[in-house]
């Protein structure tokens, strides 16, 4: 289900912003979050994450869409209960 959920938020990746940058922006849009420490595994990721400050904030519509996805389990079938 994780990959299906990832597919459903790909709308956040658009010109000038990667999905990883959008994830950081989403985290920073939360009132209870003051900083984000991503796991950096390469110089390319360091540059990508450091450039988040140059990206536009997620729109209210983006945040509402993400909230709707979350509230409805990303519109995926519920996971089967363990027997």
């Amino acid at each position: 289900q994780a990959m299906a959920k990832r597919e459903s938020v790909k709308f956040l990746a658009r010109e000038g912003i990667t999905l990883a940058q959008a994830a950081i922006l989403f985290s920073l849009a939360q009132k209870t979050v003051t900083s984000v420490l991503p796991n950096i595994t390469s110089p390319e990721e360091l540059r990508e994450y450091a450039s988040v400050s140059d990206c536009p904030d997620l729109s209210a519509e983006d945040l509402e869409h993400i909230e709707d996805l979350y509230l409805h389990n990303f519109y995926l079938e519920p996971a089967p209960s363990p027997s």
Side-chain angles (χ1 to χ4, degrees):
Q1 283 190 342
M3 293 307 289
K5 289 178 181 180
R6 183 182 187 277
E7 288 296 316
S8 68
V9 295
K10 276 192 166 182
F11 72 93
L12 296 169
R14 48 190 172 252
E15 187 175 335
I17 184 170
T18 67
L19 195 54
Q21 290 170 326
I24 293 171
L25 290 169
F26 172 76
S27 297
L28 292 172
Q30 307 311 302
K31 294 178 183 179
T32 57
V33 175
T34 57
S35 66
V36 176
L37 300 171
N39 187 25
I40 299 168
T41 60
S42 68
E44 293 79 20
E45 284 183 351
L46 175 60
R47 284 188 284 278
E48 178 183 11
Y49 301 154
S51 67
V52 167
S53 60
D54 297 328
C55 295
D57 290 339
L58 298 180
S59 69
E61 293 81 17
D62 290 337
L63 295 172
E64 288 171 8
H65 189 178
I66 296 167
E67 182 177 3
D68 179 65
L69 289 169
Y70 177 77
L71 291 174
H72 295 96
N73 192 34
F74 293 79
Y75 293 95
L76 299 173
E77 292 294 321
S81 300
S83 301

